[in-house]
Amino acid sequence: MRGKDPMPLSPGPFTGRTVTGLAQDLREGRTSSTELVKQALDAIAELDPQLNAFVTVDADGALAAARRADDELAGGVDRGPLHGVPVGVKDLIEVAGLPATMGSRHFADHLPDADAECVTRLRRAGAVIVGKTTTHEFAYGPTGDRSATGPSRNPWDPARMTGGSSGGSAAAVAAGMVPLALGTDTGGSVRIPAALCGIAGFKPAYGAIPADGVFPLSRTLDHVGVLAGDERDCLLAYRCLTSAQLREDTAPARVAWLDPAGLFAGDSRVASTVRAVSGVEEEVRLPAGVAETLRETYAVIQSCETAAVHATRLAEAHGLFDPEVLERLRVAAELPGWRYVQAMDERPRLAEAVSTLFDGHDVIALPAVPLTAPLLQQRETELNGEPVAVRAALLALTSPWNVLGLPALTVPAGTVDDLPVGLQLVCRPGRELLLFEAATARRS
Amino acid sequence: MRGKDPMPLSPGPFTGRTVTGLAQDLREGRTSSTELVKQALDAIAELDPQLNAFVTVDADGALAAARRADDELAGGVDRGPLHGVPVGVKDLIEVAGLPATMGSRHFADHLPDADAECVTRLRRAGAVIVGKTTTHEFAYGPTGDRSATGPSRNPWDPARMTGGSSGGSAAAVAAGMVPLALGTDTGGSVRIPAALCGIAGFKPAYGAIPADGVFPLSRTLDHVGVLAGDERDCLLAYRCLTSAQLREDTAPARVAWLDPAGLFAGDSRVASTVRAVSGVEEEVRLPAGVAETLRETYAVIQSCETAAVHATRLAEAHGLFDPEVLERLRVAAELPGWRYVQAMDERPRLAEAVSTLFDGHDVIALPAVPLTAPLLQQRETELNGEPVAVRAALLALTSPWNVLGLPALTVPAGTVDDLPVGLQLVCRPGRELLLFEAATARRS
């Protein structure tokens, strides 16, 4: 099916291949983990100078792990669908023995000695970590273009941003360097780059994948997520990473369209393209005022928690931050505490208001991002003849679901101006399989 | 036993009488609830013009409730030890049909139509509410001398503060106008006035008495508590107000003295008097730095949450606040959110540090307040030749236990300069009976 979709500029060895397909090839002897890892390493060597998706490539470690995976499979030990599959891990997530820079000069020399819990689970499932992927500094930015090691670049047009903060993970998968990558998502950091790079990205329910060993941006909003070519690979990876029980439903998913204009005045061509791909007819609307409160609540919680994480660095070593990140942190550090208290108190009310969307539907559909990938470092754009702040636009349709901890998936939904756009599907915790079913149904 | 203690200036009808004694008198026909309520009303009429303990007196309602209590007892319905006993309720706690001013001009016309949950429980236990007691405005102050209806005054010397914020409840009990009163305690608001007025006050574990229907000061730190002549009456009232199971221990309480100088450089005569009364020999110490962190954590959480409660009033009607309360709110509203986030994160670490105090002991003993009652409106005093801020001094020994939600009791512990001082006993949740046992053991 993915062959029908338009392609990024330079397809890599995993473009158009699914993890399920790779798993089959591995088990039927058509390939080996060692071969897949070599393909990944070759593709990184070839493509990454242009895309900067990787901060660290662990060729030796990955080849050794691949040999072990091959040996295990040959010996009858089968760890499941990720066994032997090369993956990338966002550089905000700790992998024992590999530098974790967090995209920052503050952590230039940081070498973790333990795996994050999600990495432990990934390894237990047999996945082979080929390297660490570029993150916006400390994951503090949806543009993906401020990192100590330079911006990640969009495989569809390297002059454009990947989106972020998991920009390297998105670029690595979108360019076919790896079939799967881990990311984190505090306000959209998995879904935004997935959408802008034309791949799938899944942010599960809050806490469904443990965040231990992941550098915090905002504990109340941080989620670990996955990026892959399509939603089926996301689901497959998610099953390996969560201990949550997935509820099987027999009835088909009831999907409703949420007009994105109620959240943000985005590019109407994006909305219409995504809606056409979604094939959804019914519509739901947010109650009046809820969109503003969601945005405000997100911004306040995120800002105060992020400023708390970085308070000591701000006081003692501010010169090591990227200037834009520093400026944003300084603004965040000024927000008064009473607003944080009010924002935290707001959440149950918001959850109640948003729950009305799900009264008659299992899944809500809307674009993941209300515009296509801006140029690198672009901070203002024009939509419908009005100037628009790029960061606000990027976050507008994804961050509400972080405030409420709702599972949200983005899948490719065609292009506008030859750049990819994403269809976002949102559900309540426990309805994830309906979410994935809805994503797959759109193809038929 | 209490006859041995020095007395306030004008003893009232309940001075030296216990709720247990009243309950016996009621059941053996020596008095009636109607008679007790009349005694309370007469005492209020006589003593309250000097002490200002009551904001609202509900003579009709109380007499009607007393008659019902008498009828019930006569008819064989016995609601337990509080049945027919007159009580005062802090004016921060809602009682249906009685004004609840919160000590503020903002709520001058506020008439709740429902009882707070603690009031419901009090009524269910048969207690008769005679009136609402003076609170520092919005409970925001440990001095008890800033209220829309004027300061409550200390029965031992009406030129001195009761302490607060439950100053009216303390004065009402200390002057013998009622044998029991409800208060609230966010940083010491039950224990401080109880200690300064020479009575007992109990702040239970966080949440042990529900705070529904109580105007918030700081939700994370707010506790509902009780004030009475001695610890046995506090326990008796507490049993009626909580649904927590009290664990019976057979071994005697192991009590250790916590040197208050580790928390605050208070009046050494207070410390030595209280310690002598406590009879405690073993000593424990807080780990280094913990006292400062407890103080800071308390101040930040309390300030930010209080500023959140009053944000709209601050923006729209600041002129209705008492000037000192307004000034403190303005300062509180400036505290940055990242400090609140860090303070909330600090709590588990603090709990762990403080838990070491209980490694070999069930109960920690220290003064409730490190000085005797200052003069009304006094904001600076001198201790050991050094100037000391009165508010900080009043809160210093009580607020740490609010941060951790630990049960804490103060009982009368003699006098310094003819003014009462209190012995504070602190335990872990679940060890309340040992706490009360330790208080009673000190008398033998």
mmCIF file of all heavy atoms in Angstrom, chain B residues 278-307:
data_model
loop_
_atom_site.group_PDB
_atom_site.id
_atom_site.type_symbol
_atom_site.label_atom_id
_atom_site.label_comp_id
_atom_site.label_asym_id
_atom_site.label_seq_id
_atom_site.Cartn_x
_atom_site.Cartn_y
_atom_site.Cartn_z
ATOM 1 N N SER B 278 7.692 17.300 79.407
ATOM 2 C CA SER B 278 7.613 16.089 78.564
ATOM 3 C C SER B 278 8.207 14.883 79.285
ATOM 4 O O SER B 278 7.762 13.754 79.086
ATOM 5 C CB SER B 278 8.360 16.314 77.247
ATOM 6 O OG SER B 278 9.766 16.186 77.437
ATOM 7 N N GLY B 279 9.207 15.119 80.117
ATOM 8 C CA GLY B 279 9.850 14.002 80.811
ATOM 9 C C GLY B 279 10.622 13.082 79.882
ATOM 10 O O GLY B 279 11.009 11.980 80.270
ATOM 11 N N VAL B 280 10.860 13.531 78.650
ATOM 12 C CA VAL B 280 11.510 12.674 77.656
ATOM 13 C C VAL B 280 13.023 12.764 77.802
ATOM 14 O O VAL B 280 13.565 13.856 77.977
ATOM 15 C CB VAL B 280 11.088 13.091 76.237
ATOM 16 C CG1 VAL B 280 11.865 12.309 75.192
ATOM 17 C CG2 VAL B 280 9.591 12.875 76.057
ATOM 18 N N GLU B 281 13.681 11.617 77.737
ATOM 19 C CA GLU B 281 15.137 11.629 77.881
ATOM 20 C C GLU B 281 15.889 11.445 76.569
ATOM 21 O O GLU B 281 16.852 12.147 76.299
ATOM 22 C CB GLU B 281 15.556 10.560 78.893
ATOM 23 C CG GLU B 281 15.137 11.002 80.298
ATOM 24 C CD GLU B 281 15.517 10.018 81.370
ATOM 25 O OE1 GLU B 281 16.275 9.070 81.076
ATOM 26 O OE2 GLU B 281 15.043 10.201 82.503
ATOM 27 N N GLU B 282 15.441 10.505 75.782
ATOM 28 C CA GLU B 282 16.180 10.258 74.530
ATOM 29 C C GLU B 282 16.028 11.440 73.581
ATOM 30 O O GLU B 282 15.039 12.165 73.626
ATOM 31 C CB GLU B 282 15.669 8.985 73.864
ATOM 32 C CG GLU B 282 16.069 7.740 74.639
ATOM 33 C CD GLU B 282 15.626 6.488 73.904
ATOM 34 O OE1 GLU B 282 16.192 6.218 72.822
ATOM 35 O OE2 GLU B 282 14.720 5.815 74.400
ATOM 36 N N GLU B 283 17.013 11.592 72.717
ATOM 37 C CA GLU B 283 16.982 12.703 71.767
ATOM 38 C C GLU B 283 17.176 12.210 70.345
ATOM 39 O O GLU B 283 17.916 11.260 70.116
ATOM 40 C CB GLU B 283 18.110 13.706 72.091
ATOM 41 C CG GLU B 283 17.686 14.751 73.090
ATOM 42 C CD GLU B 283 18.597 15.973 73.049
ATOM 43 O OE1 GLU B 283 19.034 16.361 71.938
ATOM 44 O OE2 GLU B 283 18.865 16.521 74.127
ATOM 45 N N VAL B 284 16.544 12.877 69.425
ATOM 46 C CA VAL B 284 16.806 12.632 68.006
ATOM 47 C C VAL B 284 17.098 13.980 67.346
ATOM 48 O O VAL B 284 16.776 15.039 67.890
ATOM 49 C CB VAL B 284 15.611 11.957 67.286
ATOM 50 C CG1 VAL B 284 15.472 10.505 67.718
ATOM 51 C CG2 VAL B 284 14.315 12.718 67.551
ATOM 52 N N ARG B 285 17.723 13.899 66.179
ATOM 53 C CA ARG B 285 18.065 15.118 65.443
ATOM 54 C C ARG B 285 17.666 14.977 63.976
ATOM 55 O O ARG B 285 17.758 13.890 63.413
ATOM 56 C CB ARG B 285 19.580 15.345 65.481
ATOM 57 C CG ARG B 285 20.050 16.003 66.741
ATOM 58 C CD ARG B 285 21.569 16.116 66.806
ATOM 59 N NE ARG B 285 21.932 16.475 68.162
ATOM 60 C CZ ARG B 285 21.804 17.707 68.656
ATOM 61 N NH1 ARG B 285 21.360 18.696 67.885
ATOM 62 N NH2 ARG B 285 22.128 17.966 69.913
ATOM 63 N N LEU B 286 17.276 16.077 63.402
ATOM 64 C CA LEU B 286 17.014 16.098 61.958
ATOM 65 C C LEU B 286 18.346 16.036 61.210
ATOM 66 O O LEU B 286 19.317 16.678 61.626
ATOM 67 C CB LEU B 286 16.302 17.389 61.568
ATOM 68 C CG LEU B 286 14.789 17.435 61.779
ATOM 69 C CD1 LEU B 286 14.280 18.841 61.535
ATOM 70 C CD2 LEU B 286 14.080 16.463 60.843
ATOM 71 N N PRO B 287 18.405 15.276 60.130
ATOM 72 C CA PRO B 287 19.615 15.307 59.297
ATOM 73 C C PRO B 287 19.913 16.741 58.835
ATOM 74 O O PRO B 287 18.996 17.557 58.709
ATOM 75 C CB PRO B 287 19.251 14.409 58.104
ATOM 76 C CG PRO B 287 18.122 13.558 58.577
ATOM 77 C CD PRO B 287 17.378 14.374 59.592
ATOM 78 N N ALA B 288 21.161 17.013 58.577
ATOM 79 C CA ALA B 288 21.592 18.368 58.196
ATOM 80 C C ALA B 288 20.832 18.858 56.972
ATOM 81 O O ALA B 288 20.629 18.110 56.012
ATOM 82 C CB ALA B 288 23.094 18.381 57.918
ATOM 83 N N GLY B 289 20.428 20.107 57.013
ATOM 84 C CA GLY B 289 19.794 20.732 55.854
ATOM 85 C C GLY B 289 18.303 20.480 55.745
ATOM 86 O O GLY B 289 17.608 21.175 54.998
ATOM 87 N N VAL B 290 17.807 19.492 56.480
ATOM 88 C CA VAL B 290 16.395 19.128 56.330
ATOM 89 C C VAL B 290 15.478 20.233 56.858
ATOM 90 O O VAL B 290 14.432 20.524 56.266
ATOM 91 C CB VAL B 290 16.115 17.776 57.019
ATOM 92 C CG1 VAL B 290 14.623 17.493 57.085
ATOM 93 C CG2 VAL B 290 16.823 16.657 56.259
ATOM 94 N N ALA B 291 15.877 20.860 57.948
ATOM 95 C CA ALA B 291 15.027 21.914 58.524
ATOM 96 C C ALA B 291 14.802 23.039 57.524
ATOM 97 O O ALA B 291 13.668 23.481 57.319
ATOM 98 C CB ALA B 291 15.665 22.468 59.803
ATOM 99 N N GLU B 292 15.872 23.468 56.880
ATOM 100 C CA GLU B 292 15.752 24.567 55.910
ATOM 101 C C GLU B 292 14.872 24.134 54.737
ATOM 102 O O GLU B 292 14.038 24.906 54.251
ATOM 103 C CB GLU B 292 17.128 24.979 55.365
ATOM 104 C CG GLU B 292 18.047 25.632 56.374
ATOM 105 C CD GLU B 292 18.552 24.667 57.448
ATOM 106 O OE1 GLU B 292 18.610 23.443 57.178
ATOM 107 O OE2 GLU B 292 18.856 25.117 58.556
ATOM 108 N N THR B 293 15.076 22.912 54.277
ATOM 109 C CA THR B 293 14.292 22.448 53.132
ATOM 110 C C THR B 293 12.823 22.311 53.501
ATOM 111 O O THR B 293 11.941 22.627 52.696
ATOM 112 C CB THR B 293 14.856 21.116 52.604
ATOM 113 O OG1 THR B 293 16.271 21.244 52.469
ATOM 114 C CG2 THR B 293 14.268 20.762 51.261
ATOM 115 N N LEU B 294 12.555 21.853 54.714
ATOM 116 C CA LEU B 294 11.161 21.774 55.164
ATOM 117 C C LEU B 294 10.516 23.156 55.176
ATOM 118 O O LEU B 294 9.390 23.337 54.694
ATOM 119 C CB LEU B 294 11.100 21.190 56.580
ATOM 120 C CG LEU B 294 11.184 19.668 56.707
ATOM 121 C CD1 LEU B 294 11.431 19.267 58.158
ATOM 122 C CD2 LEU B 294 9.900 19.012 56.190
ATOM 123 N N ARG B 295 11.236 24.117 55.692
ATOM 124 C CA ARG B 295 10.691 25.475 55.802
ATOM 125 C C ARG B 295 10.424 26.060 54.411
ATOM 126 O O ARG B 295 9.360 26.601 54.140
ATOM 127 C CB ARG B 295 11.688 26.349 56.577
ATOM 128 C CG ARG B 295 11.182 27.730 56.890
ATOM 129 C CD ARG B 295 11.935 28.359 58.064
ATOM 130 N NE ARG B 295 13.377 28.231 57.924
ATOM 131 C CZ ARG B 295 14.162 27.672 58.840
ATOM 132 N NH1 ARG B 295 13.663 27.182 59.949
ATOM 133 N NH2 ARG B 295 15.456 27.608 58.651
ATOM 134 N N GLU B 296 11.416 25.908 53.558
ATOM 135 C CA GLU B 296 11.315 26.423 52.186
ATOM 136 C C GLU B 296 10.172 25.729 51.431
ATOM 137 O O GLU B 296 9.382 26.375 50.742
ATOM 138 C CB GLU B 296 12.656 26.160 51.490
ATOM 139 C CG GLU B 296 12.696 26.406 50.009
ATOM 140 C CD GLU B 296 12.879 27.871 49.697
ATOM 141 O OE1 GLU B 296 12.982 28.654 50.659
ATOM 142 O OE2 GLU B 296 12.868 28.222 48.505
ATOM 143 N N THR B 297 10.116 24.426 51.554
ATOM 144 C CA THR B 297 9.084 23.655 50.852
ATOM 145 C C THR B 297 7.699 24.082 51.317
ATOM 146 O O THR B 297 6.786 24.303 50.511
ATOM 147 C CB THR B 297 9.304 22.152 51.109
ATOM 148 O OG1 THR B 297 10.614 21.808 50.646
ATOM 149 C CG2 THR B 297 8.271 21.302 50.390
ATOM 150 N N TYR B 298 7.558 24.220 52.634
ATOM 151 C CA TYR B 298 6.277 24.687 53.169
ATOM 152 C C TYR B 298 5.915 26.047 52.579
ATOM 153 O O TYR B 298 4.813 26.256 52.077
ATOM 154 C CB TYR B 298 6.329 24.782 54.697
ATOM 155 C CG TYR B 298 5.115 25.498 55.224
ATOM 156 C CD1 TYR B 298 3.900 24.819 55.309
ATOM 157 C CD2 TYR B 298 5.147 26.837 55.551
ATOM 158 C CE1 TYR B 298 2.754 25.469 55.726
ATOM 159 C CE2 TYR B 298 4.009 27.502 55.966
ATOM 160 C CZ TYR B 298 2.814 26.813 56.057
ATOM 161 O OH TYR B 298 1.685 27.464 56.440
ATOM 162 N N ALA B 299 6.841 26.970 52.635
ATOM 163 C CA ALA B 299 6.542 28.345 52.233
ATOM 164 C C ALA B 299 6.161 28.414 50.758
ATOM 165 O O ALA B 299 5.222 29.125 50.381
ATOM 166 C CB ALA B 299 7.747 29.241 52.518
ATOM 167 N N VAL B 300 6.866 27.669 49.935
ATOM 168 C CA VAL B 300 6.611 27.751 48.491
ATOM 169 C C VAL B 300 5.266 27.116 48.140
ATOM 170 O O VAL B 300 4.459 27.694 47.405
ATOM 171 C CB VAL B 300 7.765 27.103 47.701
ATOM 172 C CG1 VAL B 300 7.412 26.995 46.228
ATOM 173 C CG2 VAL B 300 9.044 27.917 47.884
ATOM 174 N N ILE B 301 5.016 25.931 48.667
ATOM 175 C CA ILE B 301 3.743 25.268 48.350
ATOM 176 C C ILE B 301 2.576 26.121 48.846
ATOM 177 O O ILE B 301 1.612 26.386 48.124
ATOM 178 C CB ILE B 301 3.688 23.858 48.972
ATOM 179 C CG1 ILE B 301 4.732 22.950 48.311
ATOM 180 C CG2 ILE B 301 2.293 23.253 48.838
ATOM 181 C CD1 ILE B 301 4.857 21.572 48.953
ATOM 182 N N GLN B 302 2.697 26.558 50.088
ATOM 183 C CA GLN B 302 1.606 27.322 50.673
ATOM 184 C C GLN B 302 1.373 28.619 49.886
ATOM 185 O O GLN B 302 0.239 28.945 49.536
ATOM 186 C CB GLN B 302 1.955 27.609 52.134
ATOM 187 C CG GLN B 302 0.785 28.092 52.961
ATOM 188 C CD GLN B 302 0.778 29.592 53.021
ATOM 189 O OE1 GLN B 302 1.801 30.208 53.260
ATOM 190 N NE2 GLN B 302 -0.366 30.182 52.795
ATOM 191 N N SER B 303 2.430 29.330 49.573
ATOM 192 C CA SER B 303 2.287 30.621 48.885
ATOM 193 C C SER B 303 1.641 30.458 47.520
ATOM 194 O O SER B 303 0.703 31.185 47.167
ATOM 195 C CB SER B 303 3.654 31.292 48.732
ATOM 196 O OG SER B 303 4.218 31.548 49.994
ATOM 197 N N CYS B 304 2.148 29.519 46.737
ATOM 198 C CA CYS B 304 1.627 29.368 45.371
ATOM 199 C C CYS B 304 0.177 28.905 45.389
ATOM 200 O O CYS B 304 -0.656 29.389 44.614
ATOM 201 C CB CYS B 304 2.491 28.388 44.570
ATOM 202 S SG CYS B 304 4.157 29.004 44.265
ATOM 203 N N GLU B 305 -0.140 27.976 46.275
ATOM 204 C CA GLU B 305 -1.517 27.474 46.296
ATOM 205 C C GLU B 305 -2.476 28.543 46.813
ATOM 206 O O GLU B 305 -3.597 28.676 46.312
ATOM 207 C CB GLU B 305 -1.596 26.186 47.123
ATOM 208 C CG GLU B 305 -0.800 25.059 46.456
ATOM 209 C CD GLU B 305 -0.992 23.695 47.107
ATOM 210 O OE1 GLU B 305 -1.618 23.614 48.182
ATOM 211 O OE2 GLU B 305 -0.505 22.705 46.526
ATOM 212 N N THR B 306 -2.047 29.302 47.794
ATOM 213 C CA THR B 306 -2.908 30.371 48.313
ATOM 214 C C THR B 306 -3.115 31.453 47.254
ATOM 215 O O THR B 306 -4.231 31.938 47.060
ATOM 216 C CB THR B 306 -2.285 30.969 49.585
ATOM 217 O OG1 THR B 306 -2.141 29.931 50.554
ATOM 218 C CG2 THR B 306 -3.165 32.064 50.164
ATOM 219 N N ALA B 307 -2.046 31.797 46.562
ATOM 220 C CA ALA B 307 -2.186 32.810 45.507
ATOM 221 C C ALA B 307 -3.116 32.324 44.405
ATOM 222 O O ALA B 307 -3.851 33.123 43.807
ATOM 223 C CB ALA B 307 -0.816 33.169 44.939
#
